[in-house]
């Protein structure tokens, strides 16, 4: 057994868990490299990893004992409209009393987009070519101006993109948001395992780890000290959204209003599934009455296609990863008690070092999903929104859920805002973009706005 002053207990644990292959290159390492390796091993929960590995050989199928979750529909009747107005009032009051912060998760690797850098730096807007970060930042700023308050903005990154994200935001002066209101913190990492449940060396002295999923955001709020930042600002509600959706309403008074009036721990937005086979998770109600999300892959063909007597899909409410969290609930969830989000396992190729040479091996990566916080909540609501108005995920360059589709959807939405205000669009106009700083919705548009007759129009 190797030894190193101050680390002998850790080293003994590594041997006890039969992970001592990580010391394969020990003899070749200089002192600083040995320390790096030992630091990488510090804090690894060996027992926890072992139990995760034993789950990789078990099927993950959901028990199937669930029904569709009730939801707050897009208002159609007078009654629903009156309720909506009441909710909006409550939401606006909550925002104005400085209790809401925006929370962007941007720790993903954006593999499918194939862009070498934080996804938030990717230009997506249809005319001005604004990056995802700029679009989100301007919505936070515009909401602050609309409600006359400083809305804090939290951004979760991962080790791989943290510095580049911070530098980008600094270089752009946080797009006009006061620096002290922006809090950027990296998420935590978890080691991947090879097909035999062994830790993987990515180099002679580093253990391969991956970001612990968007569900890791809730733990990271605590471990990074972000909960203290929220306490200092008196924040009670976090408006959670993901970096790749340029249509998201980052601060939505209607949604916030329902959340507050229902004293919900977690609230979630949903859109009607595009069809039975759309690959999104759906909101369900579990036998104990709690709500949850069942992944597309965990539903049977029959469940996916099940229709009610009117021919509508029974499991129709698709999860679009927009949530509100009560800060108090996040505190409870991360207090270190029995309730904790589970890890999901994915078989992935892992870059490693084998017999001194780089190799791609088969292995297991573990991730937490943020929607697993829903069944643990005491009170939860599902709120229907319109896909056209709020969901344009940028996952790929082209094709489905791509930069192309997001640009088209943005332009179409802005066109619909102008139509709603009776503002005519000249025939020569092909693409339209409206800056969040001009309008967050049709009601903010000046009635006398004139749209110039040219192919690409940017209104700011
Ligand atoms: P996705 O699951 O789409 O992953 O993330 P991704 O990394 O962006 O893209 P692919 O799958 O590699 O192509 C959805 C949202 O969750 C965030 C992402 O940044 C994105 O906003 N996320 C994902 C994290 O913050 N951390 C993670 O560990 C994973």
């Amino acid at each position: 057994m190797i030894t190193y002053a101050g680390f002998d207990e850790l080293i003994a644990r590594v041997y006890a868990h039969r992970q001592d292959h990580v010391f394969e290159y020990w003899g070749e390492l200089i002192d600083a490299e040995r320390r790096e390796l030992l630091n990488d091993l510090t804090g690894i929960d060996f027992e926890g990893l072992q139990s995760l590995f034993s789950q990789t050989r078990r099927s993950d199928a959901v028990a199937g004992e669930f029904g569709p979750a009730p939801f707050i529909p897009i208002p159609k009747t007078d009654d629903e409209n009156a309720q909506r107005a009441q909710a909006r009032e409550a939401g606006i009051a909550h925002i104005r009393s400085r209790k809401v912060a925006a929370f962007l998760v941007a720790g993903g690797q954006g593999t499918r987009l194939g862009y070498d850098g934080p996804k938030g730096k990717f230009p997506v807007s249809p005319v001005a070519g604004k990056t995802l970060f700029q679009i989100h930042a301007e919505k936070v700023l515009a909401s602050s101006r609309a409600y006359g308050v400083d809305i804090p903005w939290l951004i979760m990154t991962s080790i791989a993109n943290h510095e580049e994200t911070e530098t980008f935001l600094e270089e752009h002066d946080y797009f006009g948001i006061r620096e002290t209101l922006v809090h950027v913190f990296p998420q935590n990492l978890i080691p991947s395992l090879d097909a035999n449940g062994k830790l993987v060396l990515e180099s002679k002295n580093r253990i391969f780890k991956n970001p612990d999923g968007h569900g890791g955001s809730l733990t990271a709020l605590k471990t990074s000290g972000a909960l203290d930042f929220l306490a200092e600002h008196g924040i009670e509600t976090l408006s959670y959204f993901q970096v790749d959706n340029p249509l998201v309403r980052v601060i939505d008074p209607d949604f916030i209003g329902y959340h507050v009036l229902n004293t919900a721990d977690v609230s979630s937005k949903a859109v009607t599934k595009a069809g039975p086979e759309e690959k999104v998770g759906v909101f369900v109600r579990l036998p104990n009455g709690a709500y949850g999300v069942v992944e597309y892959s965990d539903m049977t063909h029959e469940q996916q296609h099940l229709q009610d007597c009117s021919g509508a899909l029974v499991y129709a409410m698709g999860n679009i990863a927009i949530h509100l969290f009560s800060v108090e609930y996040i505190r409870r969830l991360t207090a270190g008690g029995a309730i904790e989000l589970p890890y999901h396992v994915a078989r992935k190729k892992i870059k490693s070092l084998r017999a001194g040479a780089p190799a791609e091996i088969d292995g297991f990566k573990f991730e937490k999903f943020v929607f697993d916080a829903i069944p643990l909540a005491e009170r939860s609501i599902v709120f229907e929104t319109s896909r056209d108005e709020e969901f344009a995920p940028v996952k790929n360059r082209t094709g489905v859920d791509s930069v192309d589709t997001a640009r088209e959807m943005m332009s179409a939405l802005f066109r619909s805002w102008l139509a709603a205000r009776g503002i005519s669009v000249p025939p020569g106009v092909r693409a339209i973009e409206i800056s969040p700083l001009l309008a967050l919705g049709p009601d903010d548009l000046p009635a006398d706005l004139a749209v110039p007759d040219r192919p690409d129009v940017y209104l700011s």
Side-chain angles (χ1 to χ4, degrees):
M1 188 160 106
I2 63 153
T3 58
Y4 194 100
F7 286 92
D8 287 341
E9 198 189 319
L10 170 71
I11 292 166
R13 274 201 299 130
V14 173
Y15 278 87
H17 287 91
R18 299 173 197 274
Q19 298 286 0
D20 42 294
H21 63 287
V22 298
F23 299 126
E24 185 181 344
Y25 304 100
W26 186 257
E28 300 173 32
L29 304 179
I30 59 169
D31 191 55
E33 292 169 333
R34 288 180 174 179
R35 252 184 187 278
E36 249 179 341
L37 176 59
L38 293 167
N39 283 335
D40 252 8
L41 290 162
T42 305
I44 290 183
D45 173 4
F46 292 100
E47 287 84 11
L49 273 177
Q50 214 156 17
S51 107
L52 285 177
F53 180 67
S54 60
Q55 288 166 29
T56 61
R57 279 168 284 180
R58 221 182 48 206
S59 145
D60 223 358
V62 168
E65 287 276 320
F66 52 75
F71 62 92
I72 295 158
I74 294 172
K76 287 171 205 77
T77 63
D78 286 352
D79 213 33
E80 286 167 355
N81 275 309
Q83 273 180 28
R84 176 61 62 114
Q86 230 177 11
R88 180 170 307 163
E89 221 172 279
I92 291 175
H94 196 61
I95 302 165
R96 284 198 198 282
S97 60
R98 301 172 185 274
K99 295 196 170 119
V100 181
F103 181 25
L104 167 66
V105 295
Q109 287 156 328
T111 329
R112 284 168 285 173
L113 190 61
Y115 171 65
D116 191 22
K119 215 182 202 180
K121 281 177 67 173
F122 196 84
V124 298
S125 79
V127 179
K130 287 182 190 174
T131 61
L132 285 158
F133 279 143
Q134 181 169 2
I135 295 169
H136 297 316
E138 289 184 349
K139 288 185 188 178
V140 175
L141 186 60
S143 303
S144 295
R145 289 181 181 162
Y147 300 107
V149 290
D150 283 337
I151 297 175
W153 186 25
L154 288 86
I155 303 168
M156 186 183 80
T157 59
S158 70
I159 229 92
N161 65 24
H162 182 75
E163 262 185 47
E164 212 181 327
T165 300
E166 278 204 316
T167 308
F168 182 74
L169 293 170
E170 265 168 39
E171 278 171 2
H172 290 86
D173 261 338
Y174 302 90
F175 297 101
I177 302 176
R178 198 144 32 83
E179 188 186 337
T180 51
L181 291 170
V182 183
H183 187 79
V184 190
F185 61 95
Q187 69 182 107
N188 296 303
L189 301 169
I190 175 160
S192 300
L193 296 177
D194 73 8
N196 301 313
K198 300 288 184 194
L199 291 171
V200 177
L201 280 176
E202 69 176 17
S203 66
K204 290 182 178 175
N205 69 325
R206 297 306 301 258
I207 306 293
F208 185 93
K209 296 179 181 177
N210 61 279
D212 61 354
H214 40 65
S217 61
L218 304 180
T219 322
L221 282 167
K222 181 176 167 112
T223 53
S224 71
L227 283 182
D228 300 331
F229 171 88
L230 293 173
E232 278 160 31
H233 285 84
I235 300 300
E236 292 180 6
T237 305
L238 269 189
S239 181
Y240 169 104
F241 57 101
Q242 304 193 331
V243 72
D244 50 22
N245 181 10
L247 286 193
V248 61
R249 290 191 183 105
V250 301
I251 301 291
D252 180 348
D254 297 15
F255 185 37
I256 293 169
Y258 278 108
H259 175 79
V260 172
L261 292 175
N262 284 281
T263 55
D265 292 327
V266 191
S267 297
S268 309
K269 277 193 179 169
V271 298
T272 303
K273 270 179 75 166
E277 312 257 324
E278 192 188 6
K279 292 188 167 67
V280 291
V282 292
F283 288 98
V284 299
R285 181 153 58 183
L286 303 166
N288 67 357
Y291 295 178
V293 171
V294 175
E295 288 263 63
Y296 166 85
S297 50
D298 288 332
M299 292 188 74
T300 62
H301 181 267
E302 198 191 346
Q303 283 167 333
Q304 283 165 17
H305 287 258
L306 195 64
Q307 295 179 357
D308 63 17
C309 48
S310 72
L313 284 181
V314 168
Y315 295 103
M317 283 293 108
N319 175 28
I320 54 170
I322 303 174
H323 306 281
L324 294 167
F325 285 97
S326 116
V327 173
E328 157 56 26
Y329 174 57
I330 296 173
R331 274 185 218 290
R332 267 187 279 143
L333 197 63
T334 57
I339 47 166
E340 239 194 283
L341 302 197
Y343 277 104
H344 296 250
V345 60
R347 270 182 179 276
K348 291 266 168 83
K349 293 274 178 216
I350 298 173
K351 289 202 169 80
S352 87
L353 190 68
R354 284 282 149 112
E360 249 200 9
I361 59 160
D362 285 324
F364 298 103
K365 285 189 181 177
F366 305 98
E367 282 193 337
K368 291 178 181 175
F369 295 160
V370 75
F371 54 75
D372 280 326
I374 300 171
L376 304 175
E378 273 165 32
R379 291 182 67 85
S380 180
I381 58 165
V382 178
F383 173 100
E384 186 190 12
T385 187
S386 143
R387 178 187 296 264
D388 295 344
E389 292 176 17
E390 225 179 330
F391 188 49
V394 179
K395 301 288 184 195
N396 308 297
R397 282 278 165 122
T398 56
V400 181
D401 293 343
S402 67
V403 181
D404 293 346
T405 53
R407 284 190 183 138
E408 273 164 33
M409 287 184 76
M410 291 172 87
S411 195
L413 178 67
F414 297 138
R415 204 176 267 273
S416 78
W417 289 3
L418 292 165
R421 295 285 282 166
I423 299 166
S424 60
V425 176
V429 176
R430 205 191 45 185
I432 302 185
E433 178 172 342
I434 297 176
S435 169
L437 298 175
L438 176 68
L440 287 168
D443 296 346
D444 300 334
L445 289 172
D448 58 352
L449 191 72
V451 179
D453 192 0
R454 53 168 185 263
D456 298 315
V457 173
Y458 175 54
L459 300 168
S460 62

